[in-house]
Amino acid sequence: MSQRFNYMQQSAPAFKKLVELSMGLKESGLETGLQYLVEIRASQLNGCAFCLDMHVKQAVMGGERALRLHHVAIWHESPLFSARERAALRWTEVLTRMPEGGIADAVYAEVREQFSEKELSDLTWLVASINAWNRLNVAVGSVPGTQDKAFGLDKAGLA
């Protein structure tokens, strides 16, 4: 298994801007654990093994419980997530799948109950960002775990 091409090198200015966006969102005020859940769920939906691997390791290093990580894929049925986390996961799914006809007012209202306008804006940018990363890494066939040492993910103890 090898990567098709190196988008980081071939489009360095665009890569740098996406990194800046992602780093800026880490400072948005949204809880770090919630951000990991969003990144994990979008990566699951998009079939991005590289990003899923990365964000699970980050979540473990951030103190997330293993059972909750296993339950992200079944969050609809799981009692392990707060109302706020469930709203974030619902927003992640609807924006990632982008239903025909747009986003239902009922979904927006449910999410809006849990997030301020600023938080919802930041959450929306977070979902857009992880979807961009997912699409890049799926397109080039990024191999899970190959950047662990560079990103400090080897410290997760999951290799």
Side-chain angles (χ1 to χ4, degrees):
M1 205 184 237
S2 63
Q3 190 168 307
R4 293 177 176 141
F5 62 91
N6 188 327
Y7 67 85
M8 296 175 207
Q9 289 176 345
Q10 297 303 316
S11 302
F15 169 71
K16 183 179 177 186
K17 293 295 184 186
L18 190 53
V19 169
E20 288 174 14
L21 171 63
S22 296
M23 292 298 107
L25 291 168
K26 296 294 179 200
E27 300 169 8
S28 69
L30 292 174
E31 305 92 288
T32 301
L34 183 128
Q35 291 187 39
Y36 292 143
L37 295 177
V38 165
E39 292 164 334
I40 289 167
R41 186 61 185 140
S43 298
Q44 288 173 336
L45 294 171
N46 289 320
C48 185
F50 180 86
C51 292
L52 181 58
D53 178 81
M54 172 189 290
H55 297 300
V56 164
K57 289 171 181 171
Q58 288 174 329
V60 167
M61 290 171 60
E64 186 57 77
R65 294 183 357 236
L67 186 58
R68 280 174 39 96
L69 293 174
H70 289 293
H71 278 225
V72 171
I74 59 162
W75 71 267
H76 293 272
E77 294 84 21
S78 176
L80 299 181
F81 302 100
S82 69
R84 182 173 169 87
E85 291 168 333
R86 296 173 72 73
L89 291 167
R90 181 169 317 285
W91 195 245
T92 301
E93 286 188 359
V94 75
L95 291 179
T96 299
R97 291 180 171 151
M98 200 54 75
E100 190 173 319
I103 299 166
D105 290 340
V107 172
Y108 171 76
E110 174 190 341
V111 174
R112 188 63 177 87
E113 285 180 23
Q114 298 297 323
F115 293 91
S116 69
E117 278 190 36
K118 166 73 166 83
E119 291 172 328
L120 187 53
S121 180
D122 289 340
L123 178 60
T124 302
W125 277 105
L126 177 64
V127 174
S129 172
I130 188 59
N131 274 282
W133 286 115
N134 289 166
R135 281 149 178 77
L136 286 163
N137 285 295
V138 168
V140 302
S142 295
V143 179
T146 56
Q147 297 294 319
D148 281 5
K149 187 164 247 165
F151 296 150
L153 299 174
D154 52 334
K155 295 174 184 71
L158 297 176

